[in-house]
Amino acid sequence: MNQTPTQLKLALAQILVEGGRKAANLQRAERAIADAAGSGAQVVLLPEALNLGWTHPAAETEADAIPGGESCSRLRAAARAHGVYVCAGLVERAGKRIFNSAVLLAPDGQLLLVHRKLNELEIGHRLYAQGDRLGVVPTPLGCLGVMICADAFARGQVVGRALGLMGADLILSPSAWAVPAGHDNAREPYGRLWLDNYGPVARDYRLWIAGVSNVGPLAAGPWQGRQCIGCSLLVGPDGRQVLQGPYGVQAEALLLAVLDLPARPARGDGWETLWQESRE
């Protein structure tokens, strides 16, 4: 748990992910890490399932192991080459099972954490096995927690709140936010779901939450024809939006923000006392 205020520079890498095109996707991820490091970022957040695309059937043959597979190995090398923390969503092969996973990598390339998505949408159940873990990692920059996309809106925001109880100062959430092809963003602005679920957790636990989505069409799978449209989001410890990425199927962007991580005011059931005092 963060005992004193600290500061870090975060990069949200809203990149194109093409279903089934592992080599091209990993090249984009490597380029984004290099660009982010060149801009002074210390932590780089990348989208969900970035190596193969969310629910793309290529997972059945192209998913690879963590940490030894090509996808994780290349990201570890990029983190090490540029001296940054990297959080990225990867489709993972573990024996006969496939997981929608995310890794957290240290600046020396060490694998710090593997998260497997807990609250997968029903349409992903045929492809992905049930997630089986949740964790945080203390670092010199603060305590980092990881969830994936729909984990954020599990009933009662249980995943995000558990990470808050575990001491996370910053929750990193690789995501793949998709809309129907005919979605009108002017009439129905995208992002309310995430604000409604990030905001209360961030405010209650005095932490930051960052969600990064890819862009690009979903070319295969149960949501074929939908479009991933970015709108990557950063919410601060007061529960309010700090920044949002551009909207669009081609809206690649590298978003940078300096985060002041406040000292955590409570631990364990001390949160209940704090919340009660704030209501009085």
Side-chain angles (χ1 to χ4, degrees):
M1 186 173 68
N2 182 25
Q3 302 294 335
T4 58
T6 58
Q7 190 177 80
L8 66 84
K9 190 169 185 179
L10 173 68
L12 294 82
Q14 182 171 299
I15 63 172
L16 172 66
V17 173
E18 297 179 282
R21 298 197 64 199
K22 183 191 293 186
N25 293 332
L26 290 172
Q27 287 174 357
R28 288 188 201 94
E30 290 165 336
R31 186 164 58 247
I33 292 168
D35 290 346
S39 297
Q42 298 160 288
V43 180
V44 185
L45 177 58
L46 292 151
E48 178 180 9
L50 73 81
N51 52 343
L52 295 171
W54 184 67
T55 66
H56 194 282
E60 296 178 350
T61 55
E62 298 297 321
D64 46 16
I66 295 174
E70 176 189 6
S71 301
C72 188
S73 295
R74 287 179 61 171
L75 294 183
R76 291 178 70 188
R80 184 168 56 249
H82 299 287
V84 293
Y85 290 89
V86 173
C87 181
L90 295 175
V91 182
E92 175 194 6
R93 166 74 65 183
K96 294 183 178 180
R97 295 185 296 173
I98 299 169
F99 290 96
N100 184 351
S101 297
V103 297
L104 179 62
L105 308 172
D108 63 0
Q110 178 185 356
L111 177 63
L112 298 177
L113 182 150
V114 180
H115 174 67
R116 291 169 171 168
K117 192 173 182 180
L118 296 165
N119 191 43
E120 184 61 79
L121 300 189
E122 184 176 358
I123 59 173
H125 292 182
R126 187 196 67 80
L127 188 59
Y128 303 128
Q130 174 63 53
D132 56 7
R133 61 193 66 186
L134 188 65
V136 299
V137 178
T139 78
L141 299 179
C143 187
L144 307 181
V146 179
M147 63 182 178
I148 300 173
C149 201
D151 283 340
F153 60 72
R155 188 179 181 93
Q157 299 141 0
V158 63
V159 177
R161 292 183 179 278
L163 291 170
L165 279 172
M166 295 166 78
D169 298 306
L170 167 61
I171 297 176
L172 301 166
S173 184
S175 301
W177 297 337
V179 299
H183 179 251
D184 184 345
N185 198 54
R187 186 177 62 186
E188 189 179 352
Y190 187 83
R192 188 75 253 170
L193 172 66
W194 309 105
L195 282 170
D196 287 347
N197 286 283
Y198 286 7
V201 175
R203 182 178 61 249
D204 284 353
Y205 289 95
R206 315 301 201 264
L207 54 80
W208 292 80
I209 303 179
V212 168
S213 176
N214 62 295
V215 301
L218 293 175
W223 266 4
Q224 182 175 355
R226 289 199 175 210
Q227 297 177 342
C228 289
I229 41 69
C231 287
S232 300
L233 182 65
L234 179 64
V235 169
D238 61 359
R240 298 179 182 177
Q241 177 181 313
V242 174
L243 63 79
Q244 185 180 49
Y247 171 98
V249 72
Q250 298 178 331
E252 289 189 282
L254 183 66
L255 310 169
L256 299 167
V258 175
L259 281 55
D260 290 306
L261 306 181
R264 303 300 298 283
R267 176 182 174 187
D269 68 355
W271 289 107
E272 293 293 341
T273 302
L274 182 70
W275 298 333
Q276 179 62 37
E277 290 174 348
S278 68
R279 288 194 293 267
E280 293 175 352

